[in-house]
Amino acid sequence: MEPLKKQFSSRPELAAYLQQQFPAATERDPEISPWRGGLAEALRKLAEFKPQRYAATRNHLDGQVSGLSPYIRHGILSLAAVKTQAVAVAGSAQVIAKFISELAWRDYWQRLYVQWGTGVWLDREEYKTGWSPSDYAAELPADIQEGRTGLGCMDFFSRELRSTGYLHNHARMWLAAYVVHWRRVQWQAGARWFLVHLLDGDAASNNLSWQWVASTFSHKPYIFNRENLEKFTSGRFCQDCHSKTQCPFEATYPDLSARLFQIGGAA
Amino acid sequence: MKLAWMHPDCLNTDWLPPDSRAVFVFDDDYLAASGWGLKRIMFVYETLLELPVEIYRGPTVDILAQLAAVDGIVTVDTPDPWLQARITELRGRFAVDVIPPPAFVELKGTVNLQRFSRYWNKAEAKLLA
């Protein structure tokens, strides 16, 4: 029994070797991310991160986020090590409370994973949308997967997900809300798609976040509108969007709730 | 010398005893169950290239059984049900030490996980101290 190779002269050589070794996985997803694995890269990102700026800018696509989630998910860095370093940079835990609370979300999801195991694939509660689970499609439509919905923002996020294996958290929420609420697709279909592509994907953080958006693990469904998306993307997707005159996100929250759900109550 | 089984939730040899032989196994069953594609394999493989770890491909328990030394196996705990099932299988055949990963916050007693806010109410004071 021979171990696999560990010496490679370049990234493309490694990629070619892995394509040959893992044909089934390559069929599921043949892309190579520009994101590099490894502790050295994780420490480089950690050193660049400015935790003091996180709270004020984190919702913006260009905001100061750490980009450490793939490294934390795989135990390359522990949550505790990231927190310790961020506190050392900031001077105190209090001034980076928001960042620490976001690290705590992962700890929370992991604790639920211990309790629920494969139950993270089940609706934890009923949908608070007025729709029943059977009203949602079981399969993810091809136009979403292929990034050809005609919506500039969603198509960009879909391509970004496939080509890099990473999406800003706000983009994940917008895309998930679009899949579940605008297209009325079961959250499980979206969650499976994300898990194929996300470098930081695990069934707990991923699925339970989808359930938070869907409302099967939250008090109300998460939705957004064009004003919100434009604000946190500096309008970059809307300017040249083919659908800008018929944007499905262009409405007030009460109007969107009335349009998308059988009962009111989204925010 | 113990065999240190590194799995996808633990790609850090510092979490394992220094005097052990570190091994990682790419298992087709895990890859299919987890939906992994080439992107993820590449990311994990690049991480492993930096580490003193032997990389194998095949059914996890069979591979580890062929490599397991008389001193047994050591690994890091994980909530992943697929990995937990492998730990259970290994325990039927070998002495297996399961080490907890580094703790983020130690919470005593029962922790209410019904909503994040309940957990945070209990964790906040310790985390922001």
Side-chain angles (χ1 to χ4, degrees):
Chain A
M1 186 176 60
E2 286 296 310
L4 297 182
K5 263 179 72 172
K6 286 192 76 177
Q7 297 297 326
F8 299 92
S9 59
S10 66
R11 254 190 137 216
E13 187 191 329
L14 170 60
Y17 177 74
L18 296 178
Q19 278 173 354
Q20 182 196 10
Q21 287 289 330
F22 300 99
T26 301
E27 196 166 317
R28 273 191 293 277
D29 164 33
E31 302 277 346
I32 295 293
S33 172
W35 284 57
R36 287 173 182 265
L39 179 61
E41 180 67 4
L43 292 174
R44 190 188 67 75
K45 283 183 180 288
L46 183 58
E48 279 183 354
F49 176 54
K50 299 178 181 66
Q52 309 93 311
R53 295 192 53 228
Y54 177 81
T57 67
R58 60 186 281 269
N59 284 324
H60 200 285
L61 244 51
D62 297 326
Q64 180 65 210
V65 296
S66 74
L68 289 170
S69 53
Y71 306 90
I72 293 170
R73 180 263 175 264
H74 285 293
I76 298 165
L77 286 177
S78 68
L79 285 172
V82 172
K83 183 200 159 201
T84 299
Q85 174 64 17
V87 170
V89 169
S92 88
Q94 293 286 343
V95 299
I96 55 165
K98 187 64 192 172
F99 179 64
I100 292 172
S101 82
E102 291 299 313
L103 293 177
W105 270 98
R106 174 166 172 85
D107 186 53
Y108 172 66
W109 298 138
Q110 291 285 292
R111 287 170 187 261
L112 281 174
Y113 204 10
V114 171
Q115 281 191 10
W116 291 342
T118 54
V120 297
W121 285 101
L122 305 174
D123 294 349
R124 300 311 310 182
E125 300 163 12
E126 62 183 17
Y127 282 88
K128 286 89 179 175
T129 56
W131 302 107
S132 68
S134 60
D135 292 321
Y136 293 82
E139 300 297 330
L140 190 67
D143 65 316
I144 298 176
Q145 294 186 56
E146 294 162 10
R148 48 177 183 79
T149 65
L151 302 170
C153 50
M154 297 302 149
D155 290 346
F156 178 87
F157 300 147
S158 174
R159 288 195 301 270
E160 183 87 348
L161 173 68
R162 278 182 285 123
S163 63
T164 70
Y166 182 83
L167 279 181
H168 186 286
N169 186 59
H170 218 160
R172 297 181 197 205
M173 290 165 60
W174 291 324
L175 184 51
Y178 171 66
V179 168
V180 176
H181 301 312
W182 273 266
R183 302 295 295 270
R184 207 170 301 142
V185 173
Q186 284 176 9
W187 66 263
Q188 287 93 338
R192 278 194 300 274
W193 178 46
F194 269 27
L195 283 174
V196 169
H197 294 287
L198 284 175
L199 296 178
D200 61 22
D202 74 55
S205 296
N206 180 63
N207 293 15
L208 296 172
S209 297
W210 273 88
Q211 299 218 46
W212 185 86
V213 167
S215 74
T216 54
F217 191 48
S218 58
H219 294 304
K220 59 189 179 186
Y222 167 79
I223 56 170
F224 65 95
N225 65 9
R226 177 171 168 173
E227 184 185 356
N228 173 270
L229 192 143
E230 270 196 294
K231 176 182 173 187
F232 291 110
T233 59
S234 303
R236 78 179 76 162
F237 302 113
C238 303
Q239 287 159 11
D240 302 321
C241 180
H242 296 309
S243 307
K244 65 181 168 188
T245 58
Q246 44 192 346
C247 174
F249 313 124
E250 174 83 73
T252 64
Y253 284 110
D255 285 349
L256 284 173
S257 290
R259 197 183 301 167
L260 296 172
F261 307 129
Q262 289 199 307
I263 51 172
Chain B
M1 182 184 284
K2 284 192 178 182
L3 193 71
W5 174 33
M6 298 186 73
H7 53 63
D9 294 357
C10 161
L11 299 182
N12 190 328
T13 42
D14 289 349
W15 296 8
L16 291 158
D19 56 341
S20 54
R21 176 186 177 192
V23 169
F24 184 97
V25 183
F26 281 100
D27 188 321
D28 282 345
D29 190 50
Y30 175 88
L31 299 179
S34 306
W36 283 20
L38 195 59
K39 270 198 295 285
R40 186 84 75 110
I41 291 173
M42 179 88 168
F43 182 84
V44 167
Y45 211 99
E46 281 186 316
T47 302
L48 295 170
L49 290 180
E50 289 182 358
L51 298 172
V53 56
E54 298 166 36
I55 309 169
Y56 290 91
R57 177 156 190 263
T60 301
V61 172
D62 291 352
I63 299 276
L64 295 177
Q66 288 184 54
L67 300 171
V70 288
D71 295 334
I73 296 172
V74 58
T75 193
V76 172
D77 204 3
T78 163
D80 184 305
W82 192 96
L83 296 170
Q84 275 297 331
R86 301 294 83 72
I87 289 173
T88 302
E89 279 182 56
L90 289 167
R91 276 190 161 137
R93 300 169 65 176
F94 303 96
V96 181
D97 288 345
V98 180
I99 300 172
F104 179 58
V105 58
E106 306 264 11
L107 301 175
K108 292 201 168 60
T110 308
V111 184
N112 185 333
L113 299 176
Q114 193 178 359
R115 287 287 186 260
F116 176 77
S117 56
R118 307 274 180 95
Y119 156 89
W120 182 244
N121 285 343
K122 192 154 185 171
E124 181 180 10
K126 286 192 172 193
L127 286 168
L128 301 187

